Amino acid sequence: MADQRKENTSFLIQGSILAVSSVIVRLIGIVYRVPLTNILGDAIGVYSSAYSIYSVIWLISSFGIPTAVSKMVAGRRGMKRYRDANKAYKTGMLFALIAGGLASLVMALGAPFFAKTVLNMEEAELAIRFLAPTMFFSAFLGVYRGYFQGLGTMIPTALSQIFEQIINAVASVLAAHLMYNYGKTVDRTLGTNLWANAYGAAGGTVGTWLGALIALIFCIFVYALYRRVLVRLFRRDKASVDETYPQLFVILGATILPVVFNSAIYNISSVLDNSIFGHYTSFAGIRDQYIGVWASYEGKYHLLTHVPLAFATSIAASLIPAITSAHSAGLRTQVVDRVKTSIRFTMLVAVPSCVGLGVLAGPIVNLLFSPSAGNELAIKLLQAGCITVIFYSFSQVTNAALQGINRMRDPVVNAAISLAVHILVMVICLWVFKLGIYGVLVSDIVFGILMNVLNIYSLSRHLRLRIDITKTLFLPAGASLIMGAAAWGVYHLLFGALKKNAIAALAAIFVAVLVYGVALLLTKCVDEVDLYQMPKGKALVELAKKVHLLK
């Protein structure tokens, strides 16, 4: 029992390490997106649209690589087949060469089609083409990250993500500023209203490929340092069956495809939303509002709701190899325990994030973005759509659980069904009820709800999983409502006295974190055992006892 608890704690700590780095990355993303948005104005909608095309092609070509490589390496490492694990890494490198190269060509050569036909936004063509090199670097980067995760360490992935985002932030803002001003000059010369948006959005993508390149160089350096350890492990390896590279390539492809299909369906919804809404604006005669409205939706609302998703994504990344090793060993109880623990800890972050974004939507948006007409729309969207943080966080972890027990097909089928309903609901909301951008939001919420219902059904069927709703959802919700009331009160009290949004908002967020932590302990949502499973768990327990929140 003690060993099992230690293993559960280990995978949670590794997930938390990655979660912390992912949150840092998302925060850096917000920090640099603020000046980027202020520089580009409505052109941030062009940037976001180009990025959505990049995201889908990246998902198809590279997203599944870290998961597949980590599964293959973790399974073989668990059986002490170190040579076979290294062969899995080399197979991943070959796959990255092929997939990354093809994806780069598709982006570069297909940019006119994606911009004009898919997005109905010709300004995005240059930005899409600028993103093409990122595909090549990201594919190899995914192999290294998957390899380290398969070895049971998230630290190289965490550090490389931070380095990547810092380079991305600095380079993107500088390039966007220079190229947007150049585009304005071109527009003045030609008497057009096109090139400032096109060049500015393209400049905003420069940091994406440069950051990926720097992160890749860092991972290559770490792998070179690890080579001496590998040589020693190879000498002790007497279990490897010397799998052939064609065999491993087939296994890798069979592992990647379901992950890719599932994630592509998940994320292609963003491109479809962009495309359907873009064509709807032409149909409804509001084409001139398209870029500005989409800038509020994708560049502000989606940006903020995706920050807390970093925690769920990180827990999912550490959960897959942890479940794979336990499932391969036939340890069903350990699998179920790890799934339940992951879901519960994810909800401890997702639920208060949802409440916090809803209660402080106005203060947060106005704190981060320059005053504009788009802020008002972004605030309304955030208030109405903050619930998606819970839905998408939950689905990230349940997807990982199904993939970890080799039910790779289930998340794909569930996502496909959800996407079909999502599109139907959006078309009805736009063309029948004329809801505009809120129709896109409603369909997004429907997708999240249906995806979770189907995933829960799949997990219940394969694992006979029974989730403790009270401890997983109701108690965190109660603590979050207390937190939300405190944050709302502090903000309005300080803003009424000082008339300074920044001071009032930051103070409200600080108070919200403190109140939520106390409320979790007072409502017995989190106990001493739970605290020990967190990073620095012993220090947290000692602190809680010192302030008499634990006996």
Side-chain angles (χ1 to χ4, degrees), residues 333-388:
T333 301
Q334 191 175 99
V335 170
V336 172
D337 286 344
R338 289 180 176 181
V339 172
K340 286 182 177 180
T341 301
S342 299
I343 290 174
R344 188 161 157 260
F345 274 78
T346 299
M347 289 300 100
L348 286 176
V349 174
V351 175
S353 298
C354 166
V355 173
L357 288 173
V359 170
L360 298 176
I364 290 173
V365 170
N366 290 323
L367 172 69
L368 295 174
F369 303 105
S370 296
S372 69
N375 278 10
E376 184 177 349
L377 176 58
I379 291 167
K380 292 178 179 178
L381 290 169
L382 196 56
Q383 290 170 334
C386 59
I387 191 69
T388 57

Side-chain angles (χ1 to χ4, degrees), residues 330-509:
L331 303 174
R332 182 186 171 280
T333 301
Q334 191 175 99
V335 170
V336 172
D337 286 344
R338 289 180 176 181
V339 172
K340 286 182 177 180
T341 301
S342 299
I343 290 174
R344 188 161 157 260
F345 274 78
T346 299
M347 289 300 100
L348 286 176
V349 174
V351 175
S353 298
C354 166
V355 173
L357 288 173
V359 170
L360 298 176
I364 290 173
V365 170
N366 290 323
L367 172 69
L368 295 174
F369 303 105
S370 296
S372 69
N375 278 10
E376 184 177 349
L377 176 58
I379 291 167
K380 292 178 179 178
L381 290 169
L382 196 56
Q383 290 170 334
C386 59
I387 191 69
T388 57
V389 172
I390 296 176
F391 296 146
Y392 282 96
S393 294
F394 193 94
S395 63
Q396 287 279 357
V397 178
T398 51
N399 278 345
L402 289 167
Q403 291 164 5
I405 60 172
N406 293 325
R407 303 302 307 183
M408 309 294 287
R409 181 174 172 271
D410 287 30
V412 177
V413 173
N414 295 346
I417 293 171
S418 301
L419 180 62
V421 175
H422 166 85
I423 293 172
L424 177 62
V425 170
M426 180 162 43
V427 169
I428 292 172
C429 286
L430 291 175
W431 270 269
V432 177
F433 295 109
K434 305 292 192 298
L435 294 180
I437 194 64
Y438 292 100
V440 181
L441 179 64
V442 169
S443 62
D444 198 35
I445 293 172
V446 169
F447 180 93
I449 292 172
L450 186 55
M451 187 71 200
N452 284 314
V453 169
L454 295 173
N455 275 3
I456 291 170
Y457 172 74
S458 297
L459 283 172
S460 299
R461 189 157 52 94
H462 298 305
L463 287 179
R464 297 191 294 279
L465 182 69
R466 297 292 180 268
I467 299 172
D468 184 347
I469 297 296
T470 299
K471 205 166 186 180
T472 301
L473 191 59
F474 291 159
L475 288 178
S480 298
L481 290 175
I482 296 170
M483 174 208 77
W488 186 89
V490 168
Y491 174 79
H492 285 280
L493 182 65
L494 288 178
F495 186 75
L498 304 175
K499 304 300 182 186
K500 298 287 186 180
N501 179 67
I503 295 174
L506 292 173
I509 293 170

